[in-house]
């Protein structure tokens, strides 16, 4: 699952400049995937924390871009 998280984060970073909303959607889908994954609670919480930080960062960047326009 960690490999999937890393790959999705990389895809989101690549999309960020051209389509930040699509990048955010990628991260939100990743969050859903991790939630549904068959993992123990501790691992799931840790991985969701990683994904949630990425989502929050992407949301901040989108907000900053909107404020700049």
């Amino acid at each position: 699952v960690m490999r999937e998280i890393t790959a999705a984060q990389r895809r989101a970073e690549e999309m960020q400049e051209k389509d930040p909303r699509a990048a955010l959607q990628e991260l939100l889908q990743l969050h859903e995937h991790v939630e549904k994954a068959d993992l123990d609670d501790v691992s799931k919480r840790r991985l969701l924390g990683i994904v949630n930080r990425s989502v929050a960062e992407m949301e901040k960047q989108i907000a900053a871009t909107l404020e700049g326009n």
Side-chain angles (χ1 to χ4, degrees):
V1 175
M2 188 63 195
R3 188 176 304 139
E4 293 173 45
I5 289 172
T6 303
Q9 286 175 319
R10 193 173 306 121
R11 284 191 306 273
E13 287 174 11
E14 291 169 358
M15 284 190 264
Q16 182 177 344
E17 288 293 317
K18 290 183 181 178
D19 193 349
R21 291 181 197 278
L24 178 59
Q25 185 62 35
E26 175 83 21
L27 294 173
L28 293 173
Q29 288 173 354
L30 175 62
H31 185 278
E32 185 176 323
H33 174 69
V34 173
E35 278 188 334
K36 293 179 179 178
D38 185 24
L39 299 168
D40 63 90
D41 287 343
V42 173
S43 296
K44 191 176 286 192
R45 269 196 309 270
R46 183 176 60 83
L47 294 173
L48 285 172
I50 293 168
V51 174
N52 288 339
R53 282 189 292 278
S54 293
V55 168
E57 185 61 33
M58 186 65 65
E59 288 174 336
K60 278 183 6 185
Q61 291 176 4
I62 290 171
T65 300
L66 291 174
E67 287 175 7
N69 290 335

